[in-house]
Amino acid sequence: MRLDQRLIAKMITPGTRVLDIGSGDGTLIDHLFRTRGCDARGIEIDMGEVTRSVAHGLPVVHGDADHDLAHYPDDSFDYIVLQRTLQAVERPREVLRQMLRIGRYAIVSFPNFGHWEMRLKLLLGGRMPNTAVWHTPWYATPNIHPCTIRDFLALCDEDGYRVHEWMAIDEEGDRAPWRRSIRLANLFGEQALFRLGKGR
Amino acid sequence: MDQTVIPSAVEHTRAVFPEGLALDCGTVLAPVEIAYRTYGALSPERNNAILICHALTGDQYVAETQPVTGKPGWWGRMVGPGKPIDTDKFFVICSNVLGGCMGSTGPRSLRTVTAGNGESREEPWGTDFPPITIRDMVRAQRLLVKQFGIDRLFAVVGGSMGGMQVLEWAATYPDMVFAAVPIATAPFHSAQNIAFNEVSRQAIFADPDWHGGRYWETDAIPARGLGVARMMAHITYLSEEALTRKFGRRVRRCDEPTTGGNTPGALSTFGEIFEVESYLRHQGSSFVRRFDANSYLTITRAMDWMDLGMEHDGDCAGPFRETRTRFCVICFSSDWLFPTSQSRIIVQALTRAAANVSFVEIESDKGHDAFLLDEPDFDRTIQGFLSGAAEHAGLFRQTSKGL
């Protein structure tokens, strides 16, 4: 399991109801069910992944964050997880709003566009940066709404979400997560992970 | 077309319920007989039963030779030892629907009528058979399930009209259904679905051998009308790609008359017909040997009336509030009779009801019939969902001797 998924799993209380948006091959929901006794379900846009997940006995629905969250009733889950997808949805602000309507907590991870390598490549090369995390050329990228950690915090502030936990982590995942300073995290964190709740 | 009347000599396994059944239309139908087949063994805990619901023209012979046609069971690929619905683990029940013509009480069943002179005799129900609904079919299946001493089915599985029954099961008896697999189906018939069915029905009514539905009196059956109904319906079961791949525009020699036998083959001027015509004629003529016209009318009407949201102001989520059933909705990309959009309505309704639902659209160019054909992703989905559900149900934790 990827490091960010392990960190997400640690944020989730055993025995709770979890909806994983963009559940991929179902690794996280399988882990949550088997090791934490969660009622974990998934939404996934890639039909091949959905079929594989369901064929492994995991409850996954074909759908996407932009269009299908509206059907879920208020407060039907404890946690709504969105892994590395916020930057690729059509309306990230609306997706966050839906997540916190459906669930008590929203757990969001996204690649940090404020990472020093991005800044440096754009500054020195004058072209869209290409890194291990942001590896698709500008014309082919699914990431239509890239943001930095500080951008994300500003949105949470504007929309009145409370940040219960946050951390910046490296893509490879060996080094300790950045925790102390938002400014440093924004510069050195390749990925960010947040647990949000309603209200400040 | 061949006008052979279905051999009535075939004995079907039946359960008889003398107390009968109160139908949605208000009539009490008594007695009720339900013909069924079972496969595998019921566990001592009686918790491993899977009910399979058949489609419009299917029957209870799901995984064995059909005694009338001599053909293999309609889902033999899916049901059996080691197959996706594994009869080494599960006890599979499949019954002929109420209103059917393969042994269950239906329009061809005999009833006692009293003539004006006080004499009573037996004759088929025919068009006097009361209108039934998909829920009535499910009620009849419930009688059968209860007779086996089963309080909760592990799963109810079915495609097309069978899928409608699956939805009605989960809606009407939620505590009796642990897992539900509605396949290539809809929560209600669309106007297009009803339109196709109406064409089928009109073809039957237009047959000179129809005789107002009392065709048994003339020793004939409305074979041409029923055959045309089947041909038309069969087109809706396939996709354009499937028809093109299978037949294209190929032609073949035709030495037989092309219509019901009375009119010579007016259209086969060159002694040739398209392969696809020949195929449809074969479908039509083999169908009339095994199916009853009044049953066809009764059952297509039941499908047309199906509407899960009807009693909930049109909200299909209504019947599923508080449900604890695990659902797996499956559809096929090229199915235009029960398209993916219809399955999405089911999924969205279940989502609104906060139900535990999985949803897969299988990529296939075989149209609606894909659920009866070889689609490995489909098999994997069914098998995986059932084994995941079995884990949640706590089945097979210890190796029981009975399994």
Side-chain angles (χ1 to χ4, degrees):
Chain A
M1 204 160 67
R2 292 194 321 248
L3 171 78
D4 61 325
Q5 289 179 322
R6 285 207 299 273
L7 294 170
I8 289 168
K10 273 189 202 161
M11 286 182 171
I12 289 171
T13 310
T16 51
R17 297 161 301 166
V18 184
L19 180 66
D20 184 11
I21 307 165
S23 53
D25 61 3
T27 304
L28 180 65
I29 54 174
D30 193 35
H31 175 78
L32 290 173
F33 166 63
R34 290 189 189 288
T35 67
R36 319 207 76 155
C38 290
D39 172 7
R41 309 177 198 173
I43 302 181
E44 170 57 42
I45 197 166
D46 178 341
M47 193 53 86
E49 298 274 41
V50 178
T51 311
R52 268 189 290 283
S53 299
V54 178
H56 279 106
L58 302 171
V60 174
V61 165
H62 179 248
D64 68 76
D66 276 308
H67 302 101
D68 294 309
L69 298 186
H71 302 294
Y72 289 85
D74 293 357
D75 300 311
S76 42
F77 290 91
D78 298 299
Y79 298 90
I80 312 290
V81 178
L82 186 69
Q83 311 167 44
R84 302 190 186 190
T85 307
L86 188 70
Q87 75 285 355
V89 303
E90 284 169 29
R91 295 171 299 160
R93 189 178 189 176
E94 172 63 12
V95 167
L96 273 179
R97 196 185 70 76
Q98 290 285 0
M99 288 171 73
L100 281 159
R101 178 186 66 78
I102 302 167
R104 201 143 65 97
Y105 299 109
I107 296 179
V108 182
S109 80
F110 58 87
N112 173 27
F113 205 78
H115 189 249
W116 66 270
E117 214 181 333
M118 306 289 285
R119 302 191 196 187
L120 196 66
K121 283 193 166 163
L122 185 59
L123 181 70
L124 297 181
R127 295 186 60 186
M128 286 303 280
N130 239 303
T131 67
V133 186
W134 304 87
H135 48 74
T136 35
W138 65 272
Y139 48 81
T141 180
N143 302 318
I144 51 178
H145 292 117
C147 74
T148 72
I149 291 175
R150 289 178 69 188
D151 286 329
F152 185 76
L153 282 167
L155 179 65
C156 291
D157 191 43
E158 201 171 322
D159 287 355
Y161 304 138
R162 181 166 165 203
V163 177
H164 288 275
E165 284 180 76
W166 72 272
M167 61 186 79
I169 47 180
D170 290 334
E171 181 67 3
E172 295 309 318
D174 291 331
R175 273 164 287 177
W178 296 86
R179 286 174 190 279
R180 292 205 181 122
S181 144
I182 296 247
R183 197 167 285 276
L184 286 179
N186 199 26
L187 190 57
F188 294 112
E190 286 182 306
Q191 279 190 75
L193 180 55
F194 285 83
R195 180 165 65 90
L196 309 176
K198 290 167 220 184
R200 279 166 219 274
Chain B
M1 260 166 224
D2 194 331
Q3 298 207 353
T4 321
V5 177
I6 305 169
S8 52
V10 175
E11 276 298 322
H12 304 284
T13 311
R14 287 181 237 227
V16 183
F17 304 95
E19 73 280 13
L21 198 63
L23 304 175
D24 272 335
C25 67
T27 311
V28 175
L29 189 63
V32 163
E33 293 188 332
I34 298 298
Y36 67 94
R37 300 296 297 165
T38 66
Y39 309 86
L42 186 59
S43 65
E45 302 83 16
R46 297 171 194 264
N47 60 1
N48 69 332
I50 295 181
L51 177 73
I52 294 182
C53 304
H54 69 74
L56 169 59
T57 64
D59 52 47
Q60 67 272 40
Y61 298 99
V62 58
E64 66 194 291
T65 306
Q66 214 272 16
V68 176
T69 62
K71 286 186 177 166
W74 58 271
W75 229 11
R77 207 195 78 257
M78 186 65 77
V79 181
K83 295 189 176 168
I85 298 176
D86 190 347
T87 50
D88 285 339
K89 291 180 182 167
F90 299 110
F91 176 61
V92 169
I93 309 168
C94 185
S95 68
N96 183 220
V97 291
L98 182 71
C101 52
M102 214 47 80
S104 291
T105 299
R108 206 165 55 191
S109 304
L110 298 176
R111 59 165 173 167
T112 309
V113 287
T114 313
N117 58 9
E119 272 180 36
S120 63
R121 61 193 158 86
E122 288 206 315
E123 68 167 32
W125 276 94
T127 48
D128 288 339
F129 192 72
I132 56 162
T133 62
I134 299 288
R135 190 155 36 170
D136 291 332
M137 295 176 181
V138 165
R139 287 187 180 114
Q141 287 165 343
R142 180 171 173 272
L143 291 178
L144 180 67
V145 168
K146 284 281 187 187
Q147 182 166 290
F148 283 107
I150 296 166
D151 292 325
R152 189 182 70 167
L153 290 161
F154 164 66
V156 185
V157 183
S160 198
M161 184 182 84
M164 290 177 151
Q165 293 161 57
V166 173
L167 293 171
E168 282 284 12
W169 258 102
T172 313
Y173 305 110
D175 296 337
M176 284 187 74
V177 183
F178 182 79
V181 189
I183 303 157
T185 191
F188 49 82
H189 248 189
S190 68
Q192 190 188 46
N193 293 140
I194 298 169
F196 282 130
N197 273 350
E198 178 58 8
V199 175
S200 291
R201 288 187 289 259
Q202 288 299 332
I204 293 168
F205 297 149
D207 191 302
D209 287 328
W210 166 243
H211 294 294
R214 300 179 66 84
Y215 39 87
W216 63 83
E217 289 174 344
T218 59
D219 274 340
I221 54 172
R224 270 163 290 177
L226 189 57
V228 169
R230 176 61 170 179
M231 287 165 81
M232 204 280 307
H234 205 82
I235 299 169
T236 69
Y237 301 154
L238 305 172
S239 66
E240 188 180 349
E241 297 97 304
L243 277 175
T244 304
R245 188 184 55 234
K246 224 167 166 177
F247 309 106
R249 292 180 48 79
R250 283 192 307 278
V251 290
R252 61 185 291 173
R253 289 223 38 94
C254 178
D255 303 320
E256 290 168 22
T258 62
T259 53
N262 301 338
T263 332
L267 288 177
S268 58
T269 326
F270 307 106
E272 286 179 334
I273 60 168
F274 286 103
E275 290 268 12
V276 65
E277 291 178 90
S278 159
Y279 168 77
L280 286 177
R281 283 172 200 176
H282 169 73
Q283 287 294 334
S285 65
S286 58
F287 182 63
V288 301
R289 271 177 239 137
R290 68 178 175 92
F291 218 83
D292 175 62
N294 279 317
S295 251
Y296 196 87
L297 299 174
T298 302
I299 297 174
T300 55
R301 213 69 188 120
M303 291 177 83
D304 290 349
W305 273 315
M306 162 91 175
D307 186 353
L308 266 188
M310 195 164 57
E311 288 161 13
H312 301 268
D313 296 326
D315 180 11
C316 294
F320 300 115
R321 306 258 179 240
E322 312 293 320
T323 186
R324 283 177 295 140
T325 303
R326 296 173 77 87
F327 290 85
C328 182
V329 179
I330 306 175
C331 62
F332 297 90
S333 57
S334 56
D335 184 348
W336 56 278
L337 187 64
F338 288 90
T340 300
S341 55
Q342 293 273 20
S343 283
R344 281 199 192 281
I345 293 173
I346 301 170
V347 172
Q348 286 163 7
L350 290 168
T351 302
R352 283 201 305 281
N356 187 315
V357 52
S358 297
F359 169 47
V360 176
E361 181 198 57
I362 306 289
E363 193 65 42
S364 163
D365 69 354
K366 294 174 187 145
H368 182 61
D369 261 0
F371 80 95
L372 299 170
L373 304 169
D374 183 33
E375 289 288 355
D377 273 350
F378 175 49
D379 296 6
R380 275 194 285 275
T381 302
I382 297 252
Q383 184 157 34
F385 173 76
L386 290 179
S387 62
E391 196 180 337
H392 281 87
L395 259 59
F396 320 130
R397 274 204 187 122
Q398 302 131 296
T399 340
S400 165
K401 272 184 195 162
L403 299 176

